Amino acid sequence: MFRYVFRRLVSAVPTLLIIVTIAFFMMRVAPGGPFDQERNLPPEIEANVLKAYGLDKPLVEQYLDYVGGLLRGDFGPSFEFRDFTVRDLIFGGFPASLQIGSMALLLAIIFGVAFGAFAALRQNSRVDYAVMTLAMTGIAIPNFVMAPILTLILGVYLSLLPVAGWGDGAWVNKILPVVALALPQVAYISRLTRGSMVEVLNSNYIRTARAKGLRERIVVGRHALKGAMLPVVSYLGPAAAAVVTGSVVIETIFEVPGIGRYFVLGALNRDYPLVMGTVIFYAMLIIALNLVVDLIYAWLDPKVRLE
Amino acid sequence: MVGLPGTGDALAGVAEIEGRSLWQDALARLLRNRAAVVAMIVLSIVGALAILAPFLSPHPFDEIYWDRIQAPPDFANGHWFGTDGNGRDMFVRTLYGARVSLMVGLLATGVSLLIGVTWGATAGYFGGRVDNFMMRFVDIMYSLPFMFFVILLMVMFGRHIWLIFIALGAVEWLTMARIVRGQTLSIKRKEFIEAAHASGIGSFKIIFRHVIPNVLGPVIVYMTLTVPQVILTESFLSFLGLGVQEPLTSWGVLISEGARVIETAPWMLIFPATFLAVTLFCFNFLGDGLRDALDPKDR
């Protein structure tokens, strides 16, 4: 297994290099520079500014500098947040993003599986239809619509929760962002779980388990659920990616001081190193998460052998 | 989509005499699915509203009424959905948003269809090293965080609407290519392909004339599910301020404007959000219905 992990990590290197290269050259080919908005600078000062950020060197040299810096963990300086390096910003924002993202994912798995299994056990009943309609609604309403609506109801009308802000990480401030981030994934996972659970419940080994006279709780909990979890586990990779992408919007709406907000601010202000740094960081995160998901999958399903 | 229910009735009459093709069978199954039929009707209404937008409201979409800024819905002066923060009519802006959102959804899906089907069919038909190389490329593309590249693209090359079509289409073709490749692999060993081959038809002609028409079922299903995804992505970009630019608008732009003033002017959020949600809802139901209709094995 360690050889498999090692090989996967090695094969991630070219992928990352492609990402870095595309992002870097896209940034340089683009018309307009980050310092265009500043009022007409005298040529000498402009030259100095360019020099300070290494923008006066030939393109290839800049590229090599950037890649070399990345290897040392240096993402370059931020143009917009002067005095901060991109690394400071990313590592400063990561804890908040990680908390929200992992809590949302956990919530999505727990509730998604529970709702899906619940609906599957009462297939074609009213409960089943109600759960599935709700799930469809969760998929159809994007999180950037859900978030303001939740805010309006729980924050403004009922005054139960703070409307936005981080409050230095108080848990009441995390509820709305986490819920808004988790809801679409709850919907997806419950649909997936229901589908595979219905299939598993009709399979032979469940009939055998019932024929042996096992109690329904054990049939469902120990046998059916485990088999039904496989598609859910393989969905976790895309789910994690969706949570990461969704966090960009959610952090902006709720003013969470995480990476997603820096990404948006960087994008709106043409802060190229910041945008690139966050994209590369996200790419590494998604690759790592996919690896973890594959390992869990292999552990759950003995038919899958990691070569 | 507008004409489908009518043709269904006509086909039902013909069927008794002639026997039904697989497509007619599928259509009949689709029309029996109540959710899918309702979805089609609602979608055609939304489409018609979008097309007829300029004739449905007494107000032009970019006219600013200085005396009615953020006015609530009012039937007396024709602002059925109220006005926005610049005093523009929300009803007509929501419909213009529908134009942009639907157009982006359909065109970007078209782009993804074109690339994905050609790519997948070619890879599947030739197999071997070509297949290996082409699908490996798809795998690599898959592992890239594409959403971020689209954003990067929008940031760096300006927010032109054509760029949105191309960028979103270029992102969405990957799954389509995989689906088509899988289908092609199972079809290319069939006798009719062999027959075509034996009668000396070129490979590309076989792909386009014989392979692709036979993989259309899953392609149509996936296409129906791609449209809402693209609409959602465009709204996401617009919500972040990276989508279409003023005075044009899309549902994403309207929703982001509405979300900011939700406490004082909820109508600015509710109407575009409802339109977006209903449209996404309908496309998903239609996709599910089509899957059931075109793939009876799954039932």
Side-chain angles (χ1 to χ4, degrees), chain B residues 70-146:
Chain B
Q70 262 184 34
D74 185 353
F75 283 89
N77 56 21
H79 295 299
W80 299 302
F81 290 0
T83 61
D84 71 0
N86 289 327
R88 292 173 296 194
D89 180 54
M90 276 304 289
F91 175 72
V92 73
R93 285 189 75 71
T94 306
L95 295 193
Y96 268 81
R99 284 182 155 196
V100 171
S101 294
L102 290 177
M103 199 164 69
V104 170
L106 294 177
L107 284 184
T109 304
V111 173
S112 79
L113 191 70
L114 210 67
I115 309 177
V117 171
T118 315
W119 193 276
T122 309
Y125 183 76
F126 287 111
R129 209 175 288 167
V130 179
D131 179 32
N132 228 330
F133 175 76
M134 288 175 88
M135 292 327 278
R136 189 75 207 127
F137 180 74
V138 170
D139 287 344
I140 291 179
M141 301 281 273
Y142 243 118
S143 64
L144 303 182
F146 247 112

Side-chain angles (χ1 to χ4, degrees), chain A:
Chain A
M1 196 186 89
F2 284 107
R3 270 184 59 187
Y4 174 77
V5 174
F6 181 73
R7 265 200 22 211
R8 281 285 297 267
L9 288 178
V10 169
S11 76
V13 171
T15 312
L16 277 176
L17 201 65
I18 293 174
I19 295 174
V20 171
T21 312
I22 297 178
F24 182 86
F25 285 100
M26 220 156 89
M27 177 168 114
R28 290 304 141 89
V29 174
F35 302 111
D36 282 357
Q37 287 111 328
E38 246 119 301
R39 273 157 289 154
N40 273 341
L41 292 172
E44 310 88 63
I45 296 182
E46 201 184 341
N48 272 337
V49 170
L50 288 180
K51 194 167 178 200
Y53 289 107
L55 295 172
D56 57 337
K57 294 186 202 162
L59 202 58
V60 179
E61 204 174 317
Q62 286 183 38
Y63 173 68
L64 292 178
D65 278 355
Y66 188 77
V67 175
L70 283 182
L71 291 179
R72 279 178 274 115
D74 177 11
F75 288 82
S78 164
F79 291 159
E80 183 64 23
F81 301 89
R82 311 267 156 94
D83 309 328
F84 286 97
T85 65
V86 172
R87 200 174 85 139
D88 292 342
L89 293 175
I90 289 178
F91 282 90
F94 190 53
S97 295
L98 181 68
Q99 280 175 30
I100 295 212
S102 52
M103 266 152 65
L105 204 55
L106 199 67
L107 208 68
I109 295 169
I110 293 172
F111 282 94
V113 170
F115 287 152
F118 192 71
L121 289 173
R122 288 159 188 73
Q123 199 191 341
N124 295 333
S125 70
R126 250 185 233 160
V127 183
D128 180 22
Y129 289 133
V131 170
M132 284 307 107
T133 311
L134 269 181
M136 191 67 122
T137 318
I139 292 172
I141 300 183
N143 52 14
F144 53 83
V145 176
M146 194 61 92
I149 292 175
L150 284 177
T151 314
L152 186 69
I153 296 172
L154 296 173
V156 179
Y157 290 157
L158 302 177
S159 308
L160 292 175
L161 296 166
V163 172
W166 187 237
D168 284 325
W171 65 269
V172 278
N173 291 74
K174 288 178 197 157
I175 294 177
L176 277 181
V178 168
V179 169
L181 199 52
L183 277 180
Q185 301 312 316
V186 173
Y188 270 111
I189 292 178
S190 58
R191 267 169 66 108
L192 260 179
T193 311
R194 179 188 175 274
S196 66
M197 191 78 173
V198 165
E199 205 172 298
V200 167
L201 285 175
N202 289 327
S203 64
N204 291 335
Y205 73 93
I206 294 299
R207 203 188 313 143
T208 312
R210 286 209 172 113
K212 279 198 302 188
L214 288 183
R215 266 174 304 151
E216 187 66 16
R217 239 185 44 216
I218 293 181
V219 173
V220 173
R222 190 170 300 163
H223 297 280
L225 209 53
K226 199 175 168 194
M229 282 301 283
L230 287 178
V232 177
V233 172
S234 61
Y235 174 69
L236 286 184
V243 165
V244 169
T245 316
S247 70
V248 171
V249 166
I250 296 299
E251 288 179 12
T252 310
I253 295 177
F254 290 105
E255 289 160 31
V256 176
I259 301 178
R261 211 166 60 105
Y262 286 128
F263 176 73
V264 174
L265 289 176
L268 291 176
N269 294 315
R270 290 178 157 255
D271 186 344
Y272 295 152
L274 183 56
V275 174
M276 278 188 61
T278 34
V279 167
I280 293 165
F281 184 79
Y282 278 141
M284 293 196 293
L285 196 66
I286 290 173
I287 289 173
L289 286 172
N290 275 324
L291 176 59
V292 173
V293 167
D294 284 355
L295 289 178
I296 297 177
Y297 195 88
W299 175 62
L300 276 180
D301 185 358
K303 275 185 289 183
V304 176
R305 283 275 155 262
L306 305 174
E307 6 66 90

